[in-house]
Amino acid sequence: MATQSNHLSRIRSRLARRLGLRAAGGLFLLASIALGFFAIAASLVAGTWEALVAGHVVDALLAAATFMVAVAMGAVAAGWLFAPAARPDGVRLPREAAEPLHRLIERMSRRFGGARIDAVWIVDDMNAAILQRPRWGWGGPMETHLLIGLSLAHSVSRRQFSAILAHEFAHLVLQRHGVQAWWGHLRAWWFRALDRCVEDATWLGGMLERWSANDLRDAMRLSRLEEFEADALAAQVVGAPLVGEALVEVALKERFLSEDYWRKIMEQSSFEPRPVIRPFREMGLGVMAGFRRPMPGSVDIRHVYGQQASASDFHPTLNERLRALRVAAVVPRAGANTLANVCLGPLLPTLSWIFDRAWWEDSRRDWRQRYRSARCA
């Protein structure tokens, strides 16, 4: 098992390094294009002046027009590079606001050699993730942020969350430490810049897309390898059965929330001008009362969540991850209190209010359109 893990790590490291170097090359190319336009503009300044001195007004106007075009093109090309890493989008939790959660994170950090987390955030999705970004967007000290979804906190127990946390720390120590963090930063920066280039300059963007087509496929492959590698290290720290249990629990709860809970929330728009139920405020009770756990024991995950990831997936399927861990797809027994109740209890009213308000701002137009359509039907 250790030999297989080391082999996987070597493949992943080579792929990450190659993609990082390719990303650096792409960014250098875009920077060269921007500097080239600015160099052309600079050379035209003297030509415009000389034409004016010589009384060649038409030549001066043409040079000035070319200068303006070159500056504009240089600014557009520079704008492609102006794509700093995303900032965390959520509520930052200082230690004094969530002491139990920070203690849990620190204990897990010590099990991974003291890997550092600079800030902990609560976000609005069903996920936990490590986000790294240079302090000033493009450069500076690399900062590490741990993002924890409020929906996830309502869905797993503290024990199951420890396995999820172990998986995220495994990403950090294996794939986001030292130079590895900068390879990841360059890859993400390059793909953001490429997207902007494709939008603004179809001809150039098309050429760069063809040049980087294999890079995108390799990035998908790298992402899947990183998930398997992080699962393997997390299993060494907290045990493969607990990692597998957490994976199944998250998959079951995520399906319940997306296909049942949120669907019922939006169904209110057929007869209510505004939601009667505030989704994040009621989520804990909704999961407890509405989630119907399958009978404990083995469950055929293959028919529910798929057997193999498609070529466009950045993550392996649940079934693939369980198979790699060599654990059965067992439905976990109903646990004790959720992470939200144990570690975030006093904060839940405030967090729910913040995310409910943000959700309504995003959903209000769609909600009202549904309501009007139902009234007219």
Side-chain angles (χ1 to χ4, degrees), residues 23 35 45 64 71 78 99 105 111 142 198 235 241 268 272 293 377:
L35 290 174
V45 172
V71 169
E99 185 75 27
I105 294 168
R111 299 179 74 175
M142 189 66 74
V198 170
Q268 298 176 80
E272 295 288 349
R293 187 177 301 276

Side-chain angles (χ1 to χ4, degrees), residues 82-278:
F82 192 80
R87 293 180 178 275
D89 184 17
V91 179
R92 183 169 181 170
L93 291 185
R95 183 182 181 90
E96 58 272 16
E99 185 75 27
L101 180 61
H102 279 271
R103 286 200 303 267
L104 177 61
I105 294 168
E106 287 176 355
R107 283 196 292 271
M108 188 60 69
S109 172
R110 288 194 291 271
R111 299 179 74 175
F112 281 87
R116 179 179 174 180
I117 297 292
D118 294 298
V120 178
W121 299 74
I122 298 297
V123 295
D124 64 355
D125 57 10
M126 180 69 174
N127 194 20
I130 291 290
L131 184 150
Q132 286 187 310
R133 71 186 305 274
R135 182 170 297 170
W136 302 301
W138 302 274
M142 189 66 74
E143 295 180 336
T144 302
H145 304 267
L146 175 63
L147 313 182
I148 303 170
L150 185 57
S151 300
L152 179 72
H154 279 300
S155 299
V156 297
S157 67
R158 183 179 180 278
R159 177 173 172 272
Q160 291 165 342
F161 180 71
S162 68
I164 297 169
L165 199 54
H167 175 90
E168 297 307 324
F169 270 102
H171 278 305
L172 184 58
V173 301
L174 290 172
Q175 303 144 8
R176 300 292 183 267
H177 180 70
V179 70
Q180 297 284 350
W182 287 97
W183 288 141
H185 169 60
L186 287 174
R187 290 196 307 272
W189 188 1
W190 162 239
F191 285 124
R192 291 194 303 270
L194 179 59
D195 285 342
R196 293 190 174 199
C197 179
V198 170
E199 290 178 3
D200 292 338
T202 306
W203 59 276
L204 178 61
M207 291 173 56
L208 291 176
E209 273 194 313
R210 288 190 291 273
W211 176 73
S212 62
N214 289 333
D215 295 342
L216 182 58
R217 286 192 291 269
D218 285 345
M220 294 176 181
R221 182 188 176 206
L222 175 63
S223 178
R224 290 193 285 266
L225 288 175
E226 288 180 343
E227 291 302 310
F228 287 128
E229 189 181 34
D231 282 346
L233 181 55
Q236 293 178 27
V237 175
V238 302
L242 181 55
V243 176
E245 176 186 324
L247 288 172
V248 173
E249 186 75 7
V250 170
L252 292 173
K253 293 287 180 57
E254 184 173 30
R255 186 173 187 181
F256 161 73
L257 287 172
S258 63
E259 297 183 6
D260 191 305
Y261 184 77
W262 284 108
R263 181 178 58 81
K264 289 180 178 177
I265 291 293
M266 292 305 297
E267 281 178 353
Q268 298 176 80
S269 62
S270 298
F271 48 86
E272 295 288 349
R274 292 178 63 91
V276 176
I277 299 174
R278 284 171 46 187

Side-chain angles (χ1 to χ4, degrees), residues 36-45 47-48 58-74:
F37 280 118
F38 287 133
I40 292 171
S43 68
L44 288 168
V45 172
T48 303
V58 175
D59 291 342
L61 290 174
L62 288 174
T66 306
F67 166 81
M68 295 174 64
V69 171
V71 169
M73 294 297 292

